[in-house]
Amino acid sequence: MNYLLSLNKRLVIILSFISFFSIIVIFLFNYLPSSNFELQKIENQNETSDILKPKFSINSKKQKIFVTANEGNFLTKDEIILKKNVIFESDNFKIYADNVIFNKKTLVAKTDDKSKFVSNNSTINSNGFDIIENGNIINFKGKSLLLLK
């Protein structure tokens, strides 16, 4: 007698679908990377800093942006969180913020904390920003207030 014909076909199909969907769900949660632009609030248990008064620059063909802060901590091999009085300064503008995450490999800076952009004729207060493409593009996040002089 053939055992395959004696199985309940409806039960086999239902079990196949359940197995298939459980494999897909496991794959989605474990193997897909999270978004690089998703910020997480980071709380440091100890109040020590890895870097005191970090200074560096972001160089592009159009401009050079100097970055300073009072404190810095390494999050990963490539990411650093800059804390307390973070300033991005070029010949054309200054940005003041706190708690900025900087990726030294991709040269991307991002924050969800309040920030202030100041240039010759304008000021922008926003709820965060992203600096991408070697400092050539600055995206302001959340509610932003533009003041023109």
mmCIF file of all heavy atoms in Angstrom, residues 56-89:
data_model
loop_
_atom_site.group_PDB
_atom_site.id
_atom_site.type_symbol
_atom_site.label_atom_id
_atom_site.label_comp_id
_atom_site.label_asym_id
_atom_site.label_seq_id
_atom_site.Cartn_x
_atom_site.Cartn_y
_atom_site.Cartn_z
ATOM 1 N N PHE A 56 38.255 67.089 14.491
ATOM 2 C CA PHE A 56 38.576 66.507 13.192
ATOM 3 C C PHE A 56 37.857 67.301 12.125
ATOM 4 O O PHE A 56 37.121 68.241 12.436
ATOM 5 C CB PHE A 56 38.202 65.016 13.133
ATOM 6 C CG PHE A 56 36.756 64.731 13.429
ATOM 7 C CD1 PHE A 56 35.827 64.666 12.408
ATOM 8 C CD2 PHE A 56 36.339 64.501 14.729
ATOM 9 C CE1 PHE A 56 34.501 64.391 12.681
ATOM 10 C CE2 PHE A 56 35.013 64.217 15.010
ATOM 11 C CZ PHE A 56 34.099 64.161 13.975
ATOM 12 N N SER A 57 38.068 66.951 10.866
ATOM 13 C CA SER A 57 37.411 67.680 9.774
ATOM 14 C C SER A 57 36.811 66.705 8.777
ATOM 15 O O SER A 57 37.261 65.578 8.631
ATOM 16 C CB SER A 57 38.389 68.612 9.070
ATOM 17 O OG SER A 57 39.399 67.875 8.434
ATOM 18 N N ILE A 58 35.764 67.175 8.098
ATOM 19 C CA ILE A 58 35.124 66.455 6.999
ATOM 20 C C ILE A 58 35.503 67.207 5.735
ATOM 21 O O ILE A 58 35.149 68.374 5.579
ATOM 22 C CB ILE A 58 33.595 66.420 7.167
ATOM 23 C CG1 ILE A 58 33.212 65.784 8.497
ATOM 24 C CG2 ILE A 58 32.957 65.681 6.006
ATOM 25 C CD1 ILE A 58 31.734 65.887 8.828
ATOM 26 N N ASN A 59 36.237 66.574 4.841
ATOM 27 C CA ASN A 59 36.722 67.244 3.640
ATOM 28 C C ASN A 59 35.913 66.826 2.423
ATOM 29 O O ASN A 59 35.660 65.649 2.208
ATOM 30 C CB ASN A 59 38.195 66.899 3.387
ATOM 31 C CG ASN A 59 39.078 67.357 4.522
ATOM 32 O OD1 ASN A 59 38.879 68.416 5.079
ATOM 33 N ND2 ASN A 59 40.053 66.533 4.868
ATOM 34 N N SER A 60 35.529 67.801 1.624
ATOM 35 C CA SER A 60 34.899 67.542 0.330
ATOM 36 C C SER A 60 35.522 68.490 -0.684
ATOM 37 O O SER A 60 36.349 69.327 -0.348
ATOM 38 C CB SER A 60 33.382 67.748 0.413
ATOM 39 O OG SER A 60 33.065 69.110 0.570
ATOM 40 N N LYS A 61 35.111 68.361 -1.918
ATOM 41 C CA LYS A 61 35.664 69.224 -2.966
ATOM 42 C C LYS A 61 35.216 70.665 -2.787
ATOM 43 O O LYS A 61 35.941 71.595 -3.121
ATOM 44 C CB LYS A 61 35.223 68.714 -4.338
ATOM 45 C CG LYS A 61 35.826 67.375 -4.693
ATOM 46 C CD LYS A 61 35.353 66.896 -6.036
ATOM 47 C CE LYS A 61 35.934 65.530 -6.340
ATOM 48 N NZ LYS A 61 35.452 64.971 -7.586
ATOM 49 N N LYS A 62 34.015 70.861 -2.231
ATOM 50 C CA LYS A 62 33.461 72.204 -2.108
ATOM 51 C C LYS A 62 33.905 72.933 -0.845
ATOM 52 O O LYS A 62 34.069 74.141 -0.846
ATOM 53 C CB LYS A 62 31.935 72.133 -2.130
ATOM 54 C CG LYS A 62 31.363 71.647 -3.436
ATOM 55 C CD LYS A 62 29.862 71.624 -3.391
ATOM 56 C CE LYS A 62 29.285 71.083 -4.685
ATOM 57 N NZ LYS A 62 27.831 71.006 -4.632
ATOM 58 N N GLN A 63 34.041 72.182 0.277
ATOM 59 C CA GLN A 63 34.322 72.853 1.537
ATOM 60 C C GLN A 63 34.962 71.893 2.526
ATOM 61 O O GLN A 63 34.984 70.693 2.327
ATOM 62 C CB GLN A 63 33.043 73.424 2.138
ATOM 63 C CG GLN A 63 32.015 72.373 2.508
ATOM 64 C CD GLN A 63 30.718 73.011 2.967
ATOM 65 O OE1 GLN A 63 30.692 74.182 3.311
ATOM 66 N NE2 GLN A 63 29.659 72.252 2.969
ATOM 67 N N LYS A 64 35.452 72.471 3.596
ATOM 68 C CA LYS A 64 36.016 71.699 4.702
ATOM 69 C C LYS A 64 35.210 72.067 5.941
ATOM 70 O O LYS A 64 35.047 73.248 6.254
ATOM 71 C CB LYS A 64 37.488 72.038 4.887
ATOM 72 C CG LYS A 64 38.182 71.237 5.965
ATOM 73 C CD LYS A 64 39.624 71.654 6.130
ATOM 74 C CE LYS A 64 40.474 70.766 5.254
ATOM 75 N NZ LYS A 64 41.917 70.897 5.564
ATOM 76 N N ILE A 65 34.696 71.039 6.639
ATOM 77 C CA ILE A 65 33.903 71.247 7.838
ATOM 78 C C ILE A 65 34.719 70.765 9.034
ATOM 79 O O ILE A 65 35.115 69.608 9.092
ATOM 80 C CB ILE A 65 32.560 70.494 7.766
ATOM 81 C CG1 ILE A 65 31.741 70.957 6.547
ATOM 82 C CG2 ILE A 65 31.763 70.703 9.048
ATOM 83 C CD1 ILE A 65 30.497 70.146 6.303
ATOM 84 N N PHE A 66 34.967 71.672 9.969
ATOM 85 C CA PHE A 66 35.691 71.330 11.187
ATOM 86 C C PHE A 66 34.689 70.944 12.267
ATOM 87 O O PHE A 66 33.699 71.639 12.468
ATOM 88 C CB PHE A 66 36.543 72.515 11.655
ATOM 89 C CG PHE A 66 37.627 72.870 10.696
ATOM 90 C CD1 PHE A 66 37.447 73.904 9.778
ATOM 91 C CD2 PHE A 66 38.816 72.155 10.677
ATOM 92 C CE1 PHE A 66 38.442 74.229 8.878
ATOM 93 C CE2 PHE A 66 39.819 72.476 9.779
ATOM 94 C CZ PHE A 66 39.631 73.517 8.874
ATOM 95 N N VAL A 67 34.967 69.846 12.965
ATOM 96 C CA VAL A 67 34.062 69.330 13.988
ATOM 97 C C VAL A 67 34.794 69.339 15.329
ATOM 98 O O VAL A 67 35.923 68.850 15.423
ATOM 99 C CB VAL A 67 33.606 67.898 13.651
ATOM 100 C CG1 VAL A 67 32.631 67.383 14.694
ATOM 101 C CG2 VAL A 67 32.997 67.835 12.261
ATOM 102 N N THR A 68 34.156 69.910 16.344
ATOM 103 C CA THR A 68 34.708 69.896 17.696
ATOM 104 C C THR A 68 33.606 69.496 18.676
ATOM 105 O O THR A 68 32.419 69.701 18.408
ATOM 106 C CB THR A 68 35.258 71.281 18.106
ATOM 107 O OG1 THR A 68 34.203 72.241 18.019
ATOM 108 C CG2 THR A 68 36.407 71.705 17.228
ATOM 109 N N ALA A 69 34.004 68.942 19.803
ATOM 110 C CA ALA A 69 33.074 68.570 20.870
ATOM 111 C C ALA A 69 33.845 68.528 22.181
ATOM 112 O O ALA A 69 35.080 68.575 22.194
ATOM 113 C CB ALA A 69 32.433 67.220 20.577
ATOM 114 N N ASN A 70 33.133 68.446 23.282
ATOM 115 C CA ASN A 70 33.798 68.338 24.578
ATOM 116 C C ASN A 70 34.115 66.891 24.938
ATOM 117 O O ASN A 70 35.105 66.627 25.602
ATOM 118 C CB ASN A 70 32.942 68.967 25.681
ATOM 119 C CG ASN A 70 32.932 70.475 25.598
ATOM 120 O OD1 ASN A 70 33.731 71.072 24.889
ATOM 121 N ND2 ASN A 70 32.015 71.089 26.307
ATOM 122 N N GLU A 71 33.267 65.956 24.524
ATOM 123 C CA GLU A 71 33.464 64.543 24.846
ATOM 124 C C GLU A 71 33.097 63.686 23.655
ATOM 125 O O GLU A 71 32.322 64.089 22.794
ATOM 126 C CB GLU A 71 32.579 64.123 26.030
ATOM 127 C CG GLU A 71 32.890 64.791 27.327
ATOM 128 C CD GLU A 71 31.951 64.341 28.435
ATOM 129 O OE1 GLU A 71 31.152 63.408 28.219
ATOM 130 O OE2 GLU A 71 32.026 64.919 29.521
ATOM 131 N N GLY A 72 33.635 62.465 23.648
ATOM 132 C CA GLY A 72 33.295 61.501 22.614
ATOM 133 C C GLY A 72 33.462 60.082 23.129
ATOM 134 O O GLY A 72 34.329 59.819 23.969
ATOM 135 N N ASN A 73 32.617 59.179 22.658
ATOM 136 C CA ASN A 73 32.697 57.760 23.009
ATOM 137 C C ASN A 73 32.592 56.924 21.749
ATOM 138 O O ASN A 73 31.802 57.236 20.849
ATOM 139 C CB ASN A 73 31.579 57.358 23.968
ATOM 140 C CG ASN A 73 31.799 57.861 25.368
ATOM 141 O OD1 ASN A 73 32.913 57.849 25.860
ATOM 142 N ND2 ASN A 73 30.735 58.332 26.010
ATOM 143 N N PHE A 74 33.371 55.854 21.695
ATOM 144 C CA PHE A 74 33.284 54.922 20.581
ATOM 145 C C PHE A 74 32.083 54.017 20.789
ATOM 146 O O PHE A 74 31.937 53.393 21.837
ATOM 147 C CB PHE A 74 34.557 54.078 20.482
ATOM 148 C CG PHE A 74 35.754 54.848 20.037
ATOM 149 C CD1 PHE A 74 36.708 55.259 20.950
ATOM 150 C CD2 PHE A 74 35.921 55.177 18.704
ATOM 151 C CE1 PHE A 74 37.817 55.976 20.551
ATOM 152 C CE2 PHE A 74 37.027 55.900 18.287
ATOM 153 C CZ PHE A 74 37.976 56.295 19.206
ATOM 154 N N LEU A 75 31.216 53.940 19.770
ATOM 155 C CA LEU A 75 30.084 53.024 19.814
ATOM 156 C C LEU A 75 30.439 51.707 19.136
ATOM 157 O O LEU A 75 30.143 50.636 19.641
ATOM 158 C CB LEU A 75 28.862 53.648 19.128
ATOM 159 C CG LEU A 75 28.374 54.955 19.737
ATOM 160 C CD1 LEU A 75 27.242 55.524 18.920
ATOM 161 C CD2 LEU A 75 27.936 54.720 21.167
ATOM 162 N N THR A 76 31.035 51.819 17.963
ATOM 163 C CA THR A 76 31.530 50.670 17.212
ATOM 164 C C THR A 76 32.898 51.048 16.674
ATOM 165 O O THR A 76 33.439 52.111 16.999
ATOM 166 C CB THR A 76 30.590 50.303 16.034
ATOM 167 O OG1 THR A 76 30.563 51.381 15.095
ATOM 168 C CG2 THR A 76 29.182 50.000 16.509
ATOM 169 N N LYS A 77 33.428 50.207 15.814
ATOM 170 C CA LYS A 77 34.725 50.487 15.205
ATOM 171 C C LYS A 77 34.682 51.768 14.370
ATOM 172 O O LYS A 77 35.648 52.526 14.329
ATOM 173 C CB LYS A 77 35.113 49.301 14.327
ATOM 174 C CG LYS A 77 36.408 49.441 13.596
ATOM 175 C CD LYS A 77 36.663 48.206 12.761
ATOM 176 C CE LYS A 77 37.402 48.597 11.509
ATOM 177 N NZ LYS A 77 37.484 47.535 10.538
ATOM 178 N N ASP A 78 33.542 52.039 13.732
ATOM 179 C CA ASP A 78 33.431 53.191 12.845
ATOM 180 C C ASP A 78 32.590 54.334 13.406
ATOM 181 O O ASP A 78 32.641 55.439 12.885
ATOM 182 C CB ASP A 78 32.828 52.750 11.505
ATOM 183 C CG ASP A 78 33.735 51.802 10.750
ATOM 184 O OD1 ASP A 78 34.968 51.957 10.850
ATOM 185 O OD2 ASP A 78 33.219 50.905 10.068
ATOM 186 N N GLU A 79 31.773 54.098 14.435
ATOM 187 C CA GLU A 79 30.870 55.135 14.917
ATOM 188 C C GLU A 79 31.338 55.710 16.253
ATOM 189 O O GLU A 79 31.778 54.992 17.146
ATOM 190 C CB GLU A 79 29.452 54.589 15.074
ATOM 191 C CG GLU A 79 28.758 54.371 13.758
ATOM 192 C CD GLU A 79 27.298 54.016 13.935
ATOM 193 O OE1 GLU A 79 26.922 53.477 14.994
ATOM 194 O OE2 GLU A 79 26.535 54.276 12.999
ATOM 195 N N ILE A 80 31.212 57.033 16.336
ATOM 196 C CA ILE A 80 31.580 57.775 17.540
ATOM 197 C C ILE A 80 30.393 58.654 17.914
ATOM 198 O O ILE A 80 29.781 59.285 17.044
ATOM 199 C CB ILE A 80 32.803 58.678 17.269
ATOM 200 C CG1 ILE A 80 34.001 57.864 16.827
ATOM 201 C CG2 ILE A 80 33.144 59.511 18.480
ATOM 202 C CD1 ILE A 80 35.149 58.703 16.290
ATOM 203 N N ILE A 81 30.061 58.702 19.190
ATOM 204 C CA ILE A 81 29.049 59.654 19.637
ATOM 205 C C ILE A 81 29.775 60.854 20.227
ATOM 206 O O ILE A 81 30.646 60.719 21.087
ATOM 207 C CB ILE A 81 28.047 59.040 20.640
ATOM 208 C CG1 ILE A 81 26.958 60.064 20.984
ATOM 209 C CG2 ILE A 81 28.728 58.521 21.884
ATOM 210 C CD1 ILE A 81 25.746 59.487 21.646
ATOM 211 N N LEU A 82 29.451 62.038 19.710
ATOM 212 C CA LEU A 82 30.031 63.298 20.165
ATOM 213 C C LEU A 82 29.029 63.952 21.106
ATOM 214 O O LEU A 82 27.850 64.081 20.772
ATOM 215 C CB LEU A 82 30.326 64.199 18.972
ATOM 216 C CG LEU A 82 31.246 63.606 17.904
ATOM 217 C CD1 LEU A 82 31.256 64.470 16.675
ATOM 218 C CD2 LEU A 82 32.639 63.422 18.457
ATOM 219 N N LYS A 83 29.496 64.363 22.278
ATOM 220 C CA LYS A 83 28.602 64.908 23.291
ATOM 221 C C LYS A 83 29.060 66.288 23.723
ATOM 222 O O LYS A 83 30.225 66.626 23.607
ATOM 223 C CB LYS A 83 28.593 64.003 24.528
ATOM 224 C CG LYS A 83 28.087 62.611 24.307
ATOM 225 C CD LYS A 83 28.177 61.853 25.613
ATOM 226 C CE LYS A 83 27.780 60.419 25.451
ATOM 227 N NZ LYS A 83 27.882 59.683 26.715
ATOM 228 N N LYS A 84 28.132 67.032 24.246
ATOM 229 C CA LYS A 84 28.367 68.311 24.913
ATOM 230 C C LYS A 84 29.051 69.337 24.011
ATOM 231 O O LYS A 84 30.227 69.249 23.737
ATOM 232 C CB LYS A 84 29.177 68.120 26.199
ATOM 233 C CG LYS A 84 28.463 67.289 27.232
ATOM 234 C CD LYS A 84 29.283 67.159 28.484
ATOM 235 C CE LYS A 84 28.575 66.277 29.493
ATOM 236 N NZ LYS A 84 29.388 66.028 30.671
ATOM 237 N N ASN A 85 28.260 70.280 23.557
ATOM 238 C CA ASN A 85 28.762 71.419 22.786
ATOM 239 C C ASN A 85 29.452 70.983 21.491
ATOM 240 O O ASN A 85 30.592 71.348 21.232
ATOM 241 C CB ASN A 85 29.691 72.277 23.648
ATOM 242 C CG ASN A 85 29.909 73.642 23.053
ATOM 243 O OD1 ASN A 85 29.090 74.129 22.280
ATOM 244 N ND2 ASN A 85 31.017 74.267 23.390
ATOM 245 N N VAL A 86 28.733 70.234 20.673
ATOM 246 C CA VAL A 86 29.255 69.785 19.378
ATOM 247 C C VAL A 86 29.067 70.920 18.374
ATOM 248 O O VAL A 86 27.983 71.482 18.255
ATOM 249 C CB VAL A 86 28.527 68.515 18.898
ATOM 250 C CG1 VAL A 86 29.099 68.040 17.583
ATOM 251 C CG2 VAL A 86 28.621 67.419 19.952
ATOM 252 N N ILE A 87 30.139 71.254 17.652
ATOM 253 C CA ILE A 87 30.082 72.349 16.676
ATOM 254 C C ILE A 87 30.637 71.850 15.345
ATOM 255 O O ILE A 87 31.732 71.307 15.283
ATOM 256 C CB ILE A 87 30.899 73.569 17.147
ATOM 257 C CG1 ILE A 87 30.372 74.083 18.480
ATOM 258 C CG2 ILE A 87 30.879 74.669 16.082
ATOM 259 C CD1 ILE A 87 31.229 75.174 19.102
ATOM 260 N N PHE A 88 29.843 72.037 14.287
ATOM 261 C CA PHE A 88 30.284 71.803 12.912
ATOM 262 C C PHE A 88 30.484 73.178 12.307
ATOM 263 O O PHE A 88 29.544 73.968 12.218
ATOM 264 C CB PHE A 88 29.218 71.029 12.119
ATOM 265 C CG PHE A 88 29.052 69.612 12.560
ATOM 266 C CD1 PHE A 88 28.284 69.301 13.669
ATOM 267 C CD2 PHE A 88 29.652 68.583 11.867
ATOM 268 C CE1 PHE A 88 28.121 67.990 14.074
ATOM 269 C CE2 PHE A 88 29.504 67.271 12.266
ATOM 270 C CZ PHE A 88 28.734 66.975 13.376
ATOM 271 N N GLU A 89 31.706 73.482 11.864
ATOM 272 C CA GLU A 89 32.018 74.837 11.403
ATOM 273 C C GLU A 89 32.723 74.801 10.056
ATOM 274 O O GLU A 89 33.682 74.062 9.858
ATOM 275 C CB GLU A 89 32.908 75.526 12.435
ATOM 276 C CG GLU A 89 33.239 76.946 12.104
ATOM 277 C CD GLU A 89 34.072 77.604 13.199
ATOM 278 O OE1 GLU A 89 34.448 76.947 14.180
ATOM 279 O OE2 GLU A 89 34.336 78.805 13.044
#
